[in-house]
Structure formats: C-alpha cells, structure tokens
Amino acid sequence: MKVLKFGGTSVANPENINKVKSIVANLNDPKVAVVVSAFGGVTDLLLQTSQLASKQDQSYKKGLEEIEARHLAAIKELLPVQSQSGVLSQVKSDLNVLETLLEGSYLIGELTPKLSDKIVSYGELLSSFIISEFFKSQGLDAQFKDSRELIITDEQYGKANVDFEKTNAKCQAYFSSIDHQITVLPGFVSSSRMGNSTTLGRGGSDYTAAIIAAAQQAEILEIWTDVSGMYTANPRLVKQAICVSHISYEEAMELSHFGAKVLYPPTIQPVLSKEIPIAIKNTFDPENPGTLITKSHNGNGKTVRGISHVGNISLLSLEGPGMVGIPGISKRFFETLSLKNISIVLITQASSEHSICVGIADDDADPAAEAVNETFAYEISSRKIKPVLVEKDLTIIALVGDNMKSHQGLSGKMFSTLGKNNVNIRAIAQGASERNISAVIKKDDVKKALNSLHETFFEENIKQLNLFVMGVGNVGAKFLDQIRQQKKFLKEELKLNVRVVGISNSRTMAFDENGIALKDWESVLAEGQPADRNAFFDQVKSLNYRNSVFVDNTASAEVAKTYADYLRNSISVVTCNKIACSSDYDFYKELKQLAKQYNAPFLFETNVGAGLPIIDTLKHLIASGDKIRKIQAVLSGSLNFVFNTFNESVTFHDVVKQAQEQGYTEPDPTIDLSGVDVMRKILILARESGHQLNIDDIENVSFLPKESLETNSNDAFFESLKKYESDFQKLYKDAADVDSKLKYVAQFEDGKAKVGLQKIPKGHDFYNLEGSDNIVLFFTERYPNQPLIIKGAGAGADVTASGIFADIIRIGNF
C-alpha cells in the first residue's frame, strides 16, 4: 500500500487538482490512501473568519461567502454537469453547518478551542470530499473516508495527542475491509474518544498521512508539495541551493525542526519505528525524483547535509550571581515556561551557572518574561537575579548532518564564515548527538548568513562577490566590460562568481538583485531611478549581501566621504578615487581602522600607478619587516605623457588638450598639471610607509604660471596655456641644452616629501620613461643602493580599470 499526501498548494485550485488526479491515476498499486489538505489559503481564511465572528464583527460573513464561493466554483469547474447536483447539495449542507458554528461564535462573542477545531476542520473535510467525487467522475476507483472515523485522540484541542492503539486498530480494520483502490481522506482532522472534532496541529495533514502509513505498514509515504524535495537550504533565499536526493530520518527531522517547511517534524515519528521510507515529491514536476528519507544514509561522505533556519525567535535570558550553586533554579525556570505552554526551541547555559538562555517564539516572549519575572520576584527584588532580558527579531540557523559527529573544524568553519561577513552570533547550541550546530543571529542577517554558509559548505569553494559600482565613465565602463569578458574565466579558474548588483552615474542608478546583465548595463542604467548617494548606500545596506563590495570610479570628494558608512556595515571598498586616502590623516586612519574592525577590505591600488602593483608591493615590503629609506617616482602618467610629447614643434596647449582627450588627465586637468595629483600619490605612499603626513606637509615646486593655477574653468585654463607658451618652450629648451629630459618627480625621504619638475640626465632610471608610463624606486634597508623598481603604464582607463579589477580579485581571495 502507498500513502500519498497533497498539500495546500497542490490542491489550491482546479488546475492543480487536475495535476493531482494525473499523479494518482498513474499508480498501479492495489490500495492507495490519498490524504489532502484544505484548498490553498482556506485554513487561514477559516481562522480569520472565526476570529472576526468571536469579536462580533459582521465582516466575518464576507469570509464565509469567499469560502463558499471557492468551493462551489471548484465543483462546477471540476465535475461534469450531471455529477454536480449531489456534490453541491452535500457541500452546501456542510457550509450551512459551518455558518451555524460561526454564527454561534458571533452571538456568544467567544471562540473556544473546541469550537475552533470544529470550524477549521471544514477546510479539509470539504476539499477531500470534492476531490474524491472528482476522482470518481474521472473513472478512478475512489471513495471518500472521514479521517475522524479513523484517528482517535484526546481532547487537547488545537494539537490533539493521538491514541495510537485505537487509531491503528481502526485503520487496519477499515483498509482490510474495503475493495476499492483509492481512498481519499482529509488531513489534519481527527476526533476525540468522546466523538468531538479535534485537529492535529500545524502540519497536521503530513501527520495524518504518517499515522495511516504506519498503521498499514505502507510501502512508502509520499509527501507531494510545491518543491522538488528537501534542499541544502531554502531555495527562496539561496538561489544556489540543490536538492538532497537521499537523507536519513534524523537529518530530515533536524532540518524540518529548523524550518524546512516541506516536512513537519512529528510526521516522521509514526513511520520512524516502522522504517517506512518517505519521499518528498513535487506536484508540478512529478518526474523529478525529489528526496528519499530512509533509516540511514552515508550522504556520500558529506559532513553537512543541509542548512536550515527558523525565524521569529526571541532570546529569554535569566542571569545573576544568585543563580550560582543554587539547586532548583533551572527547574523553576523551565517549569514556569511549561505551565504557560511555551515551547522552547533552543537552550544554552553558561558552565558557571551564572545564566540560562532559551530561544522561544517571538509571540511568546512578553508573556514568558512576565511569568518568569513573577516566579523570581523575590530574587529580583533582592538583586540576586536580574529581571529577564528579552531580545526579539532573531533567527536560528543550523548546520545539519549525520556525518558531523566528531568531524573536526566544522564549528570553526561555520563561525569563521559568519564572522567574515559581520554576522553577529547571539547564542550557540550543539546537541550531544552532534547532528546539528545552531546559532542565533539577527533576522536581518538571515539571507546573508545562509548564502555565506551554503557557499562554504556546498558550492565547491566558489565565492560570490556582489559589486555595487558608482561611476561608469571612462574607467567604470572599461571595468564593467572587463568583468563581462572575464566572468567565465573567474568562475572556472579562480572559483569567483562576480556579479554587479547596483550601478550609478551622476544622473541615474539601478539595481538588480539577481545581477545586472552587463551586456545591457547602459540601457538598464538609463531606465533607472534618479541618482542619490544616500539612497544608493541605503539600498546596498538593506540588501545585506555577503561579500559586498562598493566600487568607486569617481573623483568625487562627496562619494569619498561615504566610505566609512560602507565599511561600518562590513561592505568592502575598492576605489581609484585618491581623495579619501589623501585627505585629512585622521580620516585616512579611521578608514583603515574600520576596515580591520569590520573585516571589510579597503583597497586603493589604483590610487598610485593605475594598474601597477605599487601599493601592494609597498605593503609586502613593510609586512616583511623592511623599512623605507627613500622613494623617488614619476607618478603622473598624464604629466609624463605631456613632457614626453612636448617639444619645439608642438604647443604645450595642444599636448595637454591631447592628454585630456585620450583620458590621461583628470576631468579637470589643473589637478594633474598643478602637481596636486602627484602630491596626493606621494602622500599615500608615505602614509602606507607608516608616516603621519598631510597634504600641506608636501613641498610643491610648480612649473605653471600663477595665472594658470588660479583659473576657475577648463576653458580659462587652456587659454592661459596659450598665453604662456614661450615659458613652456623655455623649460623644454633649457633641459634639451644639457641633454636632459623634463620629468615631474615626487620624492620622499627622511619624513619629508617634495614634488616638482626636474631635468633628468641620460643614464638615470627616469630618462627613458616613455609615453604615460610611471616608475617608482623604493630604496629600503634591503635595497639600499640598487632600488626595487616598478615600471609600466600608469594612466589610462584600461589599466586603471584592470587595477580595480585586480583589487576585486584580491578581495575574492581574502
């Protein structure tokens, strides 16, 4: 015999019920029990309607009308006209009784648990009767059987306890006496020994099916739902979750206890001792094998089989010096909660006996706190124990797996993963069976925590980086194009799944939680909402993704001011914007400290030398114990391009204009030609060498006329260059006369920094520096005479974008 249970989504409407019929019709078993839930949403509607009636709110009648309309419509759509009359008559009769019960609740202004069970039972009674009649009309050998005649319970209404001796006897007697193939039964409902309607509590339809399967020693219990089995995590929150094909009873119970809603924990209990397999199947994808649950399974050697969670949890903490060594404290505490019928989900206690902490449902938190404070009123008044501390809006996450037993390092791996993503753990529990490790976290961190843990334990070490990119001009556009081109390589070779979730320019911004298609990013951005730096940050924060990275491709001081906000929320920052790291030293230091405190990398390799590994090399020198004695560098690709291109046959104005048009200069070329950009770069190198300097401490020997420096627009600046062309030609001639080249040089030595134009003679490392290349000479204790030299392209959108990309990869490997 097979037992099949179909949940509310499976029988939500006539279309779905037809799918159920197809599944049942394909069975060849001589006897099949089909247990069905109420039509989707009807149970909630019955509860809401009964509550309104008990409050003497006339609007309960609208709920009743909706219930009636749904069932009558289903009959008319499912059954042929000639079969409708008798079914409509029976259903209307049942609905009349339901109306009477609701009217009674309305008149007395009360809803007792006993009355509530009678009312709510009509959801399953009506659906199962209609479905059985539909099956018969389709030629199936089916009959309806009221589960209340088979499942006998006590009179604990709302969650009755089953009398298995009487229930098993009735089930066996019934199924041995029938000769039809298919029996359709309502789930969830039962009756007391006194004959009153009772219900089996949340998930009761699963329980009904399990009770019948155990009583009949069924071949298999199939739970048909709207997902294809039990997943490694909730697929609605973790898109990469995969179905677990085979799992043990114990693992399934742990997962279902911690929120895997495809299975209700008590369901397993009746079939556990009988070793009856359970299959979790998808009504909407019946060919999918789903999940098979059996007595034992090695899980193919995997330690963690699933990650689950249960939300809406509060922590209730009782602590105080008066608890230490005093017998009976725990008994009184748990007894108080038990008397209030409050279920405890998690327990943890300090070995010092100084505190007890339990996890309970949010709805129970306030009455629980009140009851415990009353129980320990004397100890609280004498300050031996503190009043109960309640923390709400929490969630329990749990790693589950039979093979976790005695497997070293799992806890460390779990907590390290959460810590790296700034997920704060409020409490920890691990059962003696070592089959699960549970942690309590803020509910706002659930999605990030689940995805982080799933990535660690199930995704073959593929790490997902979620990028939020501000600035999509020359550099930003090249950066996005590089990601698009390298996406496959990164995933296959470096195990990095890089996706851009948000982008913004100065006009609009756009987000896509599943990642923006980079081939269409321009059209996506064009259709976005108005740009707003604060709203952009708020959206990044609210998404709360793991491994989030804010990428700043702008030159904006206002954007640089927001870095601290990102870092405080464990969002890494990658930037080519030099303003933050060259601003006030205290702000620079604060950003570095925030990056350490919140475990969020702050990387700015492109601040100096675009894509050249200058800062990274400097960091490695310092980290290895070397000390910087002197830095000499040509750090402006734009100035190097200008003075490599400028000669007696071309005007200085035209060369600078060319540099701007080719993207070698900042949008405001004054920043480059005034030396401010080079000052910022040498300042950053000095700071990264361990020195406390500000921009005002750097000597700048400018070659520009004062009038050019004081212009307030690009047009005025370029006009001034024309005016002083003779001065620029003289600079060139003076250098050429001594067989030298002009280079704009930055130097740091003995704690002092200086920038300015110099005549570089033949034979010097700077002399043959071509185009827009940069060069840095590091003189250190280990390189005192022959410096460590880094040389290469130091300007341009492509190389700057590649430097940003390299920082992203560094974070991926962090």
Side-chain angles (χ1 to χ4, degrees):
M1 177 177 175
K2 281 186 178 179
V3 178
L4 286 70
K5 178 264 176 176
F6 292 92
T9 52
S10 298
V11 295
N13 52 53
E15 180 185 355
N16 292 359
I17 293 170
N18 265 294
K19 296 181 187 296
V20 171
K21 185 266 298 180
S22 297
I23 293 168
V24 175
N26 286 329
L27 298 173
N28 296 318
D29 301 78
K31 284 188 181 179
V32 178
V34 176
V35 178
V36 298
S37 296
F39 292 167
V42 167
T43 300
D44 287 339
L45 192 54
L46 282 163
L47 288 169
Q48 293 166 11
T49 302
S50 59
Q51 287 293 333
L52 289 171
S54 68
K55 294 174 182 177
Q56 297 185 319
D57 185 336
Q58 285 273 1
S59 63
Y60 84 89
K61 293 180 179 179
K62 291 182 180 178
L64 181 61
E65 289 171 2
E66 184 178 344
I67 292 166
E68 180 176 3
R70 282 195 61 183
H71 288 88
L72 297 184
I75 294 168
K76 291 173 182 176
E77 189 169 340
L78 287 170
L79 274 69
V81 175
Q82 63 270 23
S83 303
Q84 290 179 12
S85 178
V87 179
L88 286 169
S89 176
Q90 178 62 51
V91 167
K92 286 181 178 178
S93 175
D94 287 342
L95 288 168
N96 287 337
V97 176
L98 174 61
E99 182 180 12
T100 301
L101 293 172
L102 289 167
E103 186 178 356
S105 177
Y106 175 83
L107 290 172
I108 64 173
E110 186 178 353
L111 182 66
T112 65
K114 182 177 180 180
L115 178 57
S116 178
D117 270 9
K118 281 185 179 179
I119 291 171
V120 80
S121 67
Y122 275 90
E124 275 73 12
L125 291 170
L126 290 168
S127 68
S128 56
F129 175 69
I130 293 169
I131 290 169
S132 68
E133 293 298 312
F134 170 59
F135 283 0
K136 284 193 280 188
S137 74
Q138 297 297 304
L140 299 184
D141 183 16
Q143 290 292 328
F144 167 77
K145 180 64 176 176
D146 190 339
S147 299
R148 293 178 298 181
E149 298 173 10
L150 301 179
I151 300 176
I152 308 303
T153 69
D154 61 12
E155 297 206 0
Q156 185 174 320
Y157 299 102
K159 191 178 180 182
N161 297 299
V162 177
D163 183 332
F164 280 98
E165 184 177 349
K166 291 184 177 180
T167 297
N168 290 345
K170 285 183 175 288
C171 287
Q172 290 160 10
Y174 171 74
F175 283 104
S176 64
S177 68
I178 61 172
D179 55 8
H180 54 267
Q181 182 198 11
I182 301 163
T183 303
V184 181
L185 305 104
F188 182 56
V189 300
S190 48
S191 65
S192 71
R193 300 180 189 96
M194 303 298 291
N196 295 314
S197 291
T198 56
T199 59
L200 299 175
R202 185 176 65 86
S205 292
D206 286 358
Y207 197 18
T208 300
I211 292 166
I212 293 169
Q216 292 304 111
Q217 194 65 46
E219 169 193 343
I220 191 168
L221 167 59
E222 294 181 356
I223 306 290
W224 290 81
T225 180
D226 58 355
V227 292
S228 299
M230 301 188 81
Y231 280 68
T232 48
N234 186 337
R236 293 180 178 88
L237 297 177
V238 181
K239 302 255 188 259
Q240 297 81 15
I242 55 175
C243 181
V244 182
S245 60
H246 199 168
I247 196 170
S248 72
Y249 290 127
E250 289 78 9
E251 289 171 329
M253 287 185 75
E254 292 283 359
L255 284 172
S256 59
H257 175 70
F258 285 104
K261 295 180 180 178
V262 296
L263 194 66
Y264 180 54
T267 299
I268 301 174
Q269 294 170 0
V271 297
L272 190 62
S273 60
K274 303 289 183 72
E275 298 184 13
I276 298 169
I278 303 173
I280 310 295
K281 304 273 284 179
N282 190 343
T283 305
F284 309 100
D285 185 11
E287 298 304 315
N288 192 303
T291 298
L292 181 65
I293 306 171
T294 58
K295 181 180 179 182
S296 62
H297 184 62
N298 64 14
N300 297 321
K302 286 189 176 292
T303 52
V304 178
R305 305 301 311 285
I307 307 166
S308 200
H309 72 286
V310 56
N312 301 316
I313 293 294
S314 290
L315 281 183
L316 202 71
S317 301
L318 185 70
E319 61 179 69
M323 294 172 61
V324 180
I326 307 298
I329 294 288
S330 296
K331 173 183 178 295
R332 291 167 62 197
F333 180 70
F334 292 117
E335 188 174 62
T336 299
L337 297 178
S338 176
L339 290 172
K340 286 288 183 180
N341 202 29
I342 293 171
S343 178
I344 296 172
V345 184
L346 174 143
I347 303 171
T348 179
Q349 181 171 14
S351 59
S352 64
E353 301 182 44
H354 184 264
S355 67
I356 303 172
C357 178
V358 298
I360 60 177
D362 274 338
D363 292 343
D364 291 332
D366 291 336
E370 184 180 347
V372 173
N373 283 335
E374 185 177 334
T375 296
F376 292 95
Y378 170 73
E379 288 87 351
I380 291 171
S381 65
S382 57
R383 299 189 178 179
K384 293 179 180 179
I385 293 177
K386 298 177 183 178
V388 169
L389 176 66
V390 177
E391 295 176 77
K392 295 184 178 181
D393 298 326
L394 303 172
T395 292
I396 299 173
I397 55 172
L399 296 187
V400 173
D402 282 341
N403 292 334
M404 287 168 57
K405 301 172 187 176
S406 305
H407 196 284
Q408 296 178 348
L410 284 179
S411 297
K413 200 172 181 181
M414 175 184 182
F415 301 138
S416 173
T417 298
L418 295 175
K420 283 181 179 179
N421 284 278
N422 200 35
V423 176
N424 188 35
I425 299 172
R426 295 294 305 113
I428 299 167
Q430 182 170 9
S433 68
E434 300 183 51
R435 194 170 283 117
N436 86 65
I437 305 170
S438 305
V440 181
I441 63 173
K442 292 191 301 183
K443 72 174 184 180
D444 291 343
D445 288 332
V446 169
K447 188 172 183 179
K448 178 163 67 173
L450 290 176
N451 277 277
S452 300
L453 292 172
H454 196 273
E455 185 176 83
T456 297
F457 289 101
F458 292 101
E459 295 178 33
E460 299 179 357
N461 296 320
I462 293 179
K463 186 174 185 178
Q464 180 170 292
L465 298 179
N466 297 292
L467 308 188
F468 300 87
V469 181
M470 185 165 286
V472 287
N474 285 340
V475 173
K478 295 287 185 184
F479 170 65
L480 293 177
D481 190 51
Q482 289 175 13
I483 292 178
R484 182 184 62 80
Q485 292 177 20
Q486 291 295 103
K487 189 173 181 66
K488 184 178 180 183
F489 173 85
L490 291 174
K491 193 165 187 178
E492 291 178 355
E493 300 299 326
L494 300 183
K495 303 299 183 185
L496 293 177
N497 179 23
V498 180
R499 64 177 194 166
V500 177
V501 180
I503 53 177
S504 177
N505 57 22
S506 59
R507 299 176 301 280
T508 56
M509 62 184 188
F511 292 86
D512 187 331
E513 294 186 25
N514 296 315
I516 293 168
L518 293 183
K519 60 180 174 49
D520 302 321
W521 70 264
E522 289 175 287
S523 59
V524 171
L525 185 58
E527 296 172 3
Q529 63 194 87
D532 182 302
R533 285 187 302 275
N534 295 327
F536 191 89
F537 166 72
D538 290 341
Q539 181 68 10
V540 177
K541 182 181 176 182
S542 67
L543 286 172
N544 198 21
Y545 282 153
R546 71 198 188 283
N547 306 324
S548 290
V549 184
F550 174 65
V551 182
D552 177 18
N553 297 318
T554 75
S556 166
E558 295 304 313
V559 174
K561 290 176 183 176
T562 66
Y563 294 172
D565 294 328
Y566 286 98
L567 294 171
R568 285 191 189 96
N569 286 275
S570 294
I571 299 163
S572 302
V573 174
V574 171
T575 181
C576 60
N577 184 344
K578 292 177 281 291
I579 292 175
C581 289
S582 60
S583 62
D584 184 75
Y585 180 81
D586 290 338
F587 182 59
Y588 159 82
K589 198 68 177 175
E590 179 190 10
L591 295 179
K592 301 278 282 188
Q593 290 171 343
L594 288 172
K596 290 179 183 177
Q597 181 180 351
Y598 292 98
N599 205 35
F602 172 43
L603 301 182
F604 42 90
E605 183 64 69
T606 50
N607 278 195
V608 181
L612 294 175
I614 295 172
I615 293 175
D616 196 48
T617 300
L618 177 57
K619 286 179 178 178
H620 286 308
L621 288 171
I622 301 297
S624 67
D626 204 354
K627 292 184 180 178
I628 303 298
R629 289 183 173 181
K630 181 170 69 172
I631 300 173
Q632 284 184 314
V634 174
L635 295 173
S636 173
S638 54
L639 282 171
N640 200 42
F641 173 84
V642 166
F643 286 109
N644 279 336
T645 307
F646 178 54
N647 55 48
E648 69 278 359
S649 61
V650 62
T651 68
F652 193 71
H653 166 277
D654 290 347
V655 171
V656 175
K657 195 72 174 176
Q658 182 185 352
Q660 185 194 43
E661 289 170 353
Q662 293 185 15
Y664 289 131
T665 72
E666 299 285 349
D668 176 5
T670 313
I671 295 173
D672 294 281
L673 272 72
S674 67
V676 170
D677 187 60
V678 178
M679 290 171 70
R680 288 172 177 167
K681 292 176 179 177
I682 195 65
L683 174 63
I684 291 167
L685 292 182
R687 286 176 171 180
E688 290 296 298
S689 301
H691 294 267
Q692 184 173 334
L693 268 73
N694 278 309
I695 196 80
D696 294 339
D697 299 322
I698 300 172
E699 182 183 354
N700 181 3
V701 183
S702 177
F703 67 89
L704 283 178
K706 185 177 180 182
E707 182 180 334
S708 298
L709 289 171
E710 293 176 350
T711 55
N712 55 17
S713 70
N714 283 356
D715 289 341
F717 175 71
F718 280 111
E719 283 300 314
S720 75
L721 296 185
K722 292 178 181 179
K723 180 177 179 180
Y724 292 96
E725 178 63 26
S726 61
D727 291 356
F728 300 129
Q729 287 291 343
K730 185 177 186 303
L731 287 172
Y732 173 79
K733 185 175 183 303
D734 289 347
D737 287 347
V738 292
D739 205 12
S740 297
K741 291 183 178 180
L742 292 172
K743 303 290 178 184
Y744 200 86
V745 178
Q747 182 167 310
F748 175 73
E749 187 175 13
D750 297 329
K752 295 181 180 179
K754 177 181 178 180
V755 300
L757 195 64
Q758 294 183 17
K759 300 183 188 77
I760 303 299
K762 278 186 178 179
H764 194 284
D765 290 311
F766 294 170
Y767 184 83
N768 291 316
L769 197 65
E770 299 296 331
S772 62
D773 285 0
N774 281 190
I775 187 169
V776 177
L777 311 181
F778 286 121
F779 293 88
T780 74
E781 288 187 351
R782 294 176 189 156
Y783 299 89
N785 301 314
Q786 295 298 321
L788 176 62
I789 300 176
I790 301 171
K791 178 182 177 183
D798 271 321
V799 291
T800 303
S802 69
I804 295 168
F805 204 160
D807 275 347
I808 298 296
I809 293 172
R810 287 187 184 94
I811 290 176
N813 294 326
F814 178 68

